[in-house]
PDB file of all heavy atoms in Angstrom:
ATOM      1  N   ALA A1480      11.644 -15.658  12.306  1.00  0.00           N
ATOM      2  CA  ALA A1480      11.587 -14.477  11.438  1.00  0.00           C
ATOM      3  C   ALA A1480      11.881 -14.867   9.990  1.00  0.00           C
ATOM      4  O   ALA A1480      11.222 -14.393   9.056  1.00  0.00           O
ATOM      5  CB  ALA A1480      12.577 -13.421  11.923  1.00  0.00           C
ATOM      6  N   ILE A1481      12.866 -15.759   9.800  1.00  0.00           N
ATOM      7  CA  ILE A1481      13.220 -16.212   8.446  1.00  0.00           C
ATOM      8  C   ILE A1481      12.052 -16.969   7.817  1.00  0.00           C
ATOM      9  O   ILE A1481      11.629 -16.682   6.692  1.00  0.00           O
ATOM     10  CB  ILE A1481      14.484 -17.110   8.484  1.00  0.00           C
ATOM     11  CG1 ILE A1481      15.694 -16.276   8.896  1.00  0.00           C
ATOM     12  CG2 ILE A1481      14.726 -17.768   7.117  1.00  0.00           C
ATOM     13  CD1 ILE A1481      16.969 -17.086   9.121  1.00  0.00           C
ATOM     14  N   ASP A1482      11.519 -17.954   8.561  1.00  0.00           N
ATOM     15  CA  ASP A1482      10.399 -18.758   8.043  1.00  0.00           C
ATOM     16  C   ASP A1482       9.228 -17.881   7.620  1.00  0.00           C
ATOM     17  O   ASP A1482       8.684 -18.023   6.516  1.00  0.00           O
ATOM     18  CB  ASP A1482       9.913 -19.754   9.113  1.00  0.00           C
ATOM     19  CG  ASP A1482      10.860 -20.932   9.275  1.00  0.00           C
ATOM     20  OD1 ASP A1482      11.566 -21.272   8.308  1.00  0.00           O
ATOM     21  OD2 ASP A1482      10.890 -21.515  10.380  1.00  0.00           O
ATOM     22  N   HIS A1483       8.847 -16.958   8.489  1.00  0.00           N
ATOM     23  CA  HIS A1483       7.639 -16.168   8.211  1.00  0.00           C
ATOM     24  C   HIS A1483       7.876 -15.062   7.184  1.00  0.00           C
ATOM     25  O   HIS A1483       6.949 -14.687   6.463  1.00  0.00           O
ATOM     26  CB  HIS A1483       7.066 -15.628   9.524  1.00  0.00           C
ATOM     27  CG  HIS A1483       6.538 -16.733  10.394  1.00  0.00           C
ATOM     28  ND1 HIS A1483       5.431 -17.473  10.051  1.00  0.00           N
ATOM     29  CD2 HIS A1483       6.997 -17.257  11.552  1.00  0.00           C
ATOM     30  CE1 HIS A1483       5.221 -18.401  10.975  1.00  0.00           C
ATOM     31  NE2 HIS A1483       6.157 -18.290  11.894  1.00  0.00           N
ATOM     32  N   PHE A1484       9.118 -14.586   7.074  1.00  0.00           N
ATOM     33  CA  PHE A1484       9.434 -13.610   6.029  1.00  0.00           C
ATOM     34  C   PHE A1484       9.276 -14.240   4.648  1.00  0.00           C
ATOM     35  O   PHE A1484       8.595 -13.701   3.771  1.00  0.00           O
ATOM     36  CB  PHE A1484      10.856 -13.070   6.199  1.00  0.00           C
ATOM     37  CG  PHE A1484      11.322 -12.234   5.037  1.00  0.00           C
ATOM     38  CD1 PHE A1484      10.905 -10.917   4.893  1.00  0.00           C
ATOM     39  CD2 PHE A1484      12.158 -12.778   4.061  1.00  0.00           C
ATOM     40  CE1 PHE A1484      11.311 -10.145   3.800  1.00  0.00           C
ATOM     41  CE2 PHE A1484      12.568 -12.012   2.974  1.00  0.00           C
ATOM     42  CZ  PHE A1484      12.145 -10.700   2.847  1.00  0.00           C
ATOM     43  N   PHE A1485       9.910 -15.400   4.459  1.00  0.00           N
ATOM     44  CA  PHE A1485       9.861 -16.038   3.134  1.00  0.00           C
ATOM     45  C   PHE A1485       8.469 -16.603   2.825  1.00  0.00           C
ATOM     46  O   PHE A1485       8.046 -16.615   1.669  1.00  0.00           O
ATOM     47  CB  PHE A1485      10.941 -17.107   3.010  1.00  0.00           C
ATOM     48  CG  PHE A1485      12.324 -16.528   2.835  1.00  0.00           C
ATOM     49  CD1 PHE A1485      13.228 -16.508   3.887  1.00  0.00           C
ATOM     50  CD2 PHE A1485      12.706 -15.964   1.625  1.00  0.00           C
ATOM     51  CE1 PHE A1485      14.494 -15.947   3.739  1.00  0.00           C
ATOM     52  CE2 PHE A1485      13.967 -15.409   1.452  1.00  0.00           C
ATOM     53  CZ  PHE A1485      14.859 -15.395   2.515  1.00  0.00           C
ATOM     54  N   THR A1486       7.747 -17.030   3.852  1.00  0.00           N
ATOM     55  CA  THR A1486       6.362 -17.492   3.648  1.00  0.00           C
ATOM     56  C   THR A1486       5.489 -16.333   3.203  1.00  0.00           C
ATOM     57  O   THR A1486       4.688 -16.466   2.268  1.00  0.00           O
ATOM     58  CB  THR A1486       5.799 -18.106   4.952  1.00  0.00           C
ATOM     59  OG1 THR A1486       6.606 -19.216   5.314  1.00  0.00           O
ATOM     60  CG2 THR A1486       4.362 -18.570   4.761  1.00  0.00           C
ATOM     61  N   MET A1487       5.664 -15.184   3.861  1.00  0.00           N
ATOM     62  CA  MET A1487       4.864 -14.004   3.500  1.00  0.00           C
ATOM     63  C   MET A1487       5.192 -13.557   2.078  1.00  0.00           C
ATOM     64  O   MET A1487       4.289 -13.224   1.294  1.00  0.00           O
ATOM     65  CB  MET A1487       5.134 -12.870   4.496  1.00  0.00           C
ATOM     66  CG  MET A1487       4.306 -11.609   4.235  1.00  0.00           C
ATOM     67  SD  MET A1487       2.515 -11.897   4.347  1.00  0.00           S
ATOM     68  CE  MET A1487       2.346 -12.179   6.107  1.00  0.00           C
ATOM     69  N   ALA A1488       6.465 -13.540   1.742  1.00  0.00           N
ATOM     70  CA  ALA A1488       6.876 -13.147   0.389  1.00  0.00           C
ATOM     71  C   ALA A1488       6.201 -14.049  -0.645  1.00  0.00           C
ATOM     72  O   ALA A1488       5.699 -13.582  -1.680  1.00  0.00           O
ATOM     73  CB  ALA A1488       8.392 -13.205   0.252  1.00  0.00           C
ATOM     74  N   LYS A1489       6.160 -15.334  -0.365  1.00  0.00           N
ATOM     75  CA  LYS A1489       5.540 -16.303  -1.277  1.00  0.00           C
ATOM     76  C   LYS A1489       4.039 -16.047  -1.398  1.00  0.00           C
ATOM     77  O   LYS A1489       3.482 -16.045  -2.495  1.00  0.00           O
ATOM     78  CB  LYS A1489       5.802 -17.722  -0.764  1.00  0.00           C
ATOM     79  CG  LYS A1489       5.408 -18.814  -1.745  1.00  0.00           C
ATOM     80  CD  LYS A1489       5.768 -20.189  -1.198  1.00  0.00           C
ATOM     81  CE  LYS A1489       5.343 -21.285  -2.168  1.00  0.00           C
ATOM     82  NZ  LYS A1489       5.636 -22.628  -1.606  1.00  0.00           N
ATOM     83  N   GLU A1490       3.397 -15.804  -0.250  1.00  0.00           N
ATOM     84  CA  GLU A1490       1.943 -15.563  -0.258  1.00  0.00           C
ATOM     85  C   GLU A1490       1.592 -14.273  -0.997  1.00  0.00           C
ATOM     86  O   GLU A1490       0.540 -14.162  -1.611  1.00  0.00           O
ATOM     87  CB  GLU A1490       1.409 -15.524   1.177  1.00  0.00           C
ATOM     88  CG  GLU A1490       1.385 -16.901   1.837  1.00  0.00           C
ATOM     89  CD  GLU A1490       0.913 -16.858   3.276  1.00  0.00           C
ATOM     90  OE1 GLU A1490       0.798 -15.760   3.848  1.00  0.00           O
ATOM     91  OE2 GLU A1490       0.652 -17.949   3.841  1.00  0.00           O
ATOM     92  N   LEU A1491       2.489 -13.292  -0.917  1.00  0.00           N
ATOM     93  CA  LEU A1491       2.256 -12.011  -1.598  1.00  0.00           C
ATOM     94  C   LEU A1491       2.757 -12.037  -3.044  1.00  0.00           C
ATOM     95  O   LEU A1491       2.639 -11.052  -3.770  1.00  0.00           O
ATOM     96  CB  LEU A1491       2.967 -10.881  -0.840  1.00  0.00           C
ATOM     97  CG  LEU A1491       2.460 -10.566   0.568  1.00  0.00           C
ATOM     98  CD1 LEU A1491       3.378  -9.563   1.245  1.00  0.00           C
ATOM     99  CD2 LEU A1491       1.033 -10.034   0.538  1.00  0.00           C
ATOM    100  N   ARG A1492       3.338 -13.197  -3.435  1.00  0.00           N
ATOM    101  CA  ARG A1492       3.930 -13.374  -4.774  1.00  0.00           C
ATOM    102  C   ARG A1492       5.019 -12.337  -5.059  1.00  0.00           C
ATOM    103  O   ARG A1492       5.100 -11.779  -6.153  1.00  0.00           O
ATOM    104  CB  ARG A1492       2.844 -13.306  -5.860  1.00  0.00           C
ATOM    105  CG  ARG A1492       1.821 -14.428  -5.697  1.00  0.00           C
ATOM    106  CD  ARG A1492       1.045 -14.616  -6.962  1.00  0.00           C
ATOM    107  NE  ARG A1492       0.143 -15.747  -6.831  1.00  0.00           N
ATOM    108  CZ  ARG A1492      -1.181 -15.657  -6.892  1.00  0.00           C
ATOM    109  NH1 ARG A1492      -1.756 -14.493  -7.047  1.00  0.00           N
ATOM    110  NH2 ARG A1492      -1.927 -16.739  -6.796  1.00  0.00           N
ATOM    111  N   VAL A1493       5.818 -12.101  -4.034  1.00  0.00           N
ATOM    112  CA  VAL A1493       6.946 -11.170  -4.160  1.00  0.00           C
ATOM    113  C   VAL A1493       8.211 -11.988  -4.415  1.00  0.00           C
ATOM    114  O   VAL A1493       8.550 -12.870  -3.626  1.00  0.00           O
ATOM    115  CB  VAL A1493       7.123 -10.328  -2.872  1.00  0.00           C
ATOM    116  CG1 VAL A1493       8.430  -9.537  -2.918  1.00  0.00           C
ATOM    117  CG2 VAL A1493       5.939  -9.395  -2.669  1.00  0.00           C
ATOM    118  N   ASN A1494       8.882 -11.723  -5.515  1.00  0.00           N
ATOM    119  CA  ASN A1494      10.145 -12.402  -5.805  1.00  0.00           C
ATOM    120  C   ASN A1494      11.293 -11.627  -5.164  1.00  0.00           C
ATOM    121  O   ASN A1494      11.540 -10.473  -5.519  1.00  0.00           O
ATOM    122  CB  ASN A1494      10.369 -12.497  -7.323  1.00  0.00           C
ATOM    123  CG  ASN A1494       9.417 -13.486  -7.968  1.00  0.00           C
ATOM    124  OD1 ASN A1494       9.150 -14.554  -7.413  1.00  0.00           O
ATOM    125  ND2 ASN A1494       8.881 -13.132  -9.124  1.00  0.00           N
ATOM    126  N   ILE A1495      11.947 -12.262  -4.213  1.00  0.00           N
ATOM    127  CA  ILE A1495      13.059 -11.590  -3.531  1.00  0.00           C
ATOM    128  C   ILE A1495      14.266 -11.549  -4.466  1.00  0.00           C
ATOM    129  O   ILE A1495      14.735 -12.589  -4.932  1.00  0.00           O
ATOM    130  CB  ILE A1495      13.442 -12.338  -2.228  1.00  0.00           C
ATOM    131  CG1 ILE A1495      12.218 -12.532  -1.326  1.00  0.00           C
ATOM    132  CG2 ILE A1495      14.558 -11.605  -1.498  1.00  0.00           C
ATOM    133  CD1 ILE A1495      11.567 -11.260  -0.840  1.00  0.00           C
ATOM    134  N   PRO A1496      14.776 -10.346  -4.773  1.00  0.00           N
ATOM    135  CA  PRO A1496      15.908 -10.258  -5.713  1.00  0.00           C
ATOM    136  C   PRO A1496      17.179 -10.878  -5.145  1.00  0.00           C
ATOM    137  O   PRO A1496      17.372 -10.922  -3.931  1.00  0.00           O
ATOM    138  CB  PRO A1496      16.077  -8.739  -5.902  1.00  0.00           C
ATOM    139  CG  PRO A1496      15.446  -8.124  -4.702  1.00  0.00           C
ATOM    140  CD  PRO A1496      14.337  -9.032  -4.284  1.00  0.00           C
ATOM    141  N   GLU A1497      18.035 -11.366  -6.036  1.00  0.00           N
ATOM    142  CA  GLU A1497      19.302 -11.989  -5.598  1.00  0.00           C
ATOM    143  C   GLU A1497      20.234 -10.978  -4.943  1.00  0.00           C
ATOM    144  O   GLU A1497      21.173 -11.349  -4.248  1.00  0.00           O
ATOM    145  CB  GLU A1497      20.000 -12.645  -6.796  1.00  0.00           C
ATOM    146  CG  GLU A1497      19.328 -13.931  -7.230  1.00  0.00           C
ATOM    147  CD  GLU A1497      20.223 -14.772  -8.130  1.00  0.00           C
ATOM    148  OE1 GLU A1497      21.407 -14.422  -8.279  1.00  0.00           O
ATOM    149  OE2 GLU A1497      19.730 -15.768  -8.679  1.00  0.00           O
ATOM    150  N   THR A1498      19.965  -9.701  -5.173  1.00  0.00           N
ATOM    151  CA  THR A1498      20.821  -8.651  -4.601  1.00  0.00           C
ATOM    152  C   THR A1498      20.484  -8.373  -3.135  1.00  0.00           C
ATOM    153  O   THR A1498      21.218  -7.654  -2.453  1.00  0.00           O
ATOM    154  CB  THR A1498      20.642  -7.347  -5.393  1.00  0.00           C
ATOM    155  OG1 THR A1498      19.231  -7.048  -5.461  1.00  0.00           O
ATOM    156  CG2 THR A1498      21.197  -7.467  -6.793  1.00  0.00           C
ATOM    157  N   MET A1499      19.378  -8.943  -2.636  1.00  0.00           N
ATOM    158  CA  MET A1499      18.966  -8.692  -1.248  1.00  0.00           C
ATOM    159  C   MET A1499      20.060  -9.156  -0.292  1.00  0.00           C
ATOM    160  O   MET A1499      20.641 -10.227  -0.456  1.00  0.00           O
ATOM    161  CB  MET A1499      17.659  -9.432  -0.943  1.00  0.00           C
ATOM    162  CG  MET A1499      17.064  -9.119   0.424  1.00  0.00           C
ATOM    163  SD  MET A1499      16.397  -7.438   0.534  1.00  0.00           S
ATOM    164  CE  MET A1499      14.773  -7.667  -0.207  1.00  0.00           C
ATOM    165  N   LYS A1500      20.333  -8.337   0.737  1.00  0.00           N
ATOM    166  CA  LYS A1500      21.329  -8.695   1.742  1.00  0.00           C
ATOM    167  C   LYS A1500      20.625  -9.110   3.041  1.00  0.00           C
ATOM    168  O   LYS A1500      19.519  -8.643   3.317  1.00  0.00           O
ATOM    169  CB  LYS A1500      22.275  -7.522   2.008  1.00  0.00           C
ATOM    170  CG  LYS A1500      23.186  -7.231   0.827  1.00  0.00           C
ATOM    171  CD  LYS A1500      24.074  -6.028   1.085  1.00  0.00           C
ATOM    172  CE  LYS A1500      24.960  -5.737  -0.132  1.00  0.00           C
ATOM    173  NZ  LYS A1500      25.710  -4.488   0.006  1.00  0.00           N
ATOM    174  N   TYR A1501      21.277  -9.962   3.802  1.00  0.00           N
ATOM    175  CA  TYR A1501      20.677 -10.477   5.041  1.00  0.00           C
ATOM    176  C   TYR A1501      21.646 -10.296   6.206  1.00  0.00           C
ATOM    177  O   TYR A1501      22.812 -10.681   6.119  1.00  0.00           O
ATOM    178  CB  TYR A1501      20.321 -11.957   4.879  1.00  0.00           C
ATOM    179  CG  TYR A1501      19.399 -12.211   3.703  1.00  0.00           C
ATOM    180  CD1 TYR A1501      19.917 -12.671   2.486  1.00  0.00           C
ATOM    181  CD2 TYR A1501      18.034 -11.967   3.788  1.00  0.00           C
ATOM    182  CE1 TYR A1501      19.086 -12.885   1.389  1.00  0.00           C
ATOM    183  CE2 TYR A1501      17.197 -12.187   2.696  1.00  0.00           C
ATOM    184  CZ  TYR A1501      17.726 -12.640   1.499  1.00  0.00           C
ATOM    185  OH  TYR A1501      16.898 -12.841   0.416  1.00  0.00           O
ATOM    186  N   PHE A1502      21.147  -9.716   7.282  1.00  0.00           N
ATOM    187  CA  PHE A1502      21.944  -9.479   8.479  1.00  0.00           C
ATOM    188  C   PHE A1502      21.320 -10.258   9.635  1.00  0.00           C
ATOM    189  O   PHE A1502      20.152 -10.039   9.965  1.00  0.00           O
ATOM    190  CB  PHE A1502      21.999  -7.979   8.797  1.00  0.00           C
ATOM    191  CG  PHE A1502      22.773  -7.175   7.769  1.00  0.00           C
ATOM    192  CD1 PHE A1502      22.210  -6.875   6.526  1.00  0.00           C
ATOM    193  CD2 PHE A1502      24.070  -6.750   8.042  1.00  0.00           C
ATOM    194  CE1 PHE A1502      22.925  -6.155   5.569  1.00  0.00           C
ATOM    195  CE2 PHE A1502      24.785  -6.023   7.086  1.00  0.00           C
ATOM    196  CZ  PHE A1502      24.219  -5.731   5.849  1.00  0.00           C
ATOM    197  N   CYS A1503      22.091 -11.181  10.221  1.00  0.00           N
ATOM    198  CA  CYS A1503      21.553 -12.095  11.233  1.00  0.00           C
ATOM    199  C   CYS A1503      22.330 -11.968  12.544  1.00  0.00           C
ATOM    200  O   CYS A1503      23.534 -11.724  12.535  1.00  0.00           O
ATOM    201  CB  CYS A1503      21.638 -13.534  10.741  1.00  0.00           C
ATOM    202  SG  CYS A1503      20.921 -13.770   9.097  1.00  0.00           S
TER     203      CYS A1503
END
C-alpha cells in the first residue's frame, strides 16, 4: 500500500504535504 500510494502520487504529480499523517 505504501509503495503504490507514493508511486501513484508521483505519477499524478501530487506533492504530499509535510502535514500529512500516517496510520499503520
Side-chain angles (χ1 to χ4, degrees):
I1481 293 173
D1482 285 333
H1483 293 292
F1484 171 78
F1485 286 104
T1486 299
M1487 182 61 70
K1489 190 177 179 183
E1490 288 178 349
L1491 295 172
R1492 298 198 176 117
V1493 170
N1494 289 320
I1495 306 298
E1497 286 196 8
T1498 52
M1499 186 70 83
K1500 291 178 181 173
Y1501 304 99
F1502 293 76
C1503 308

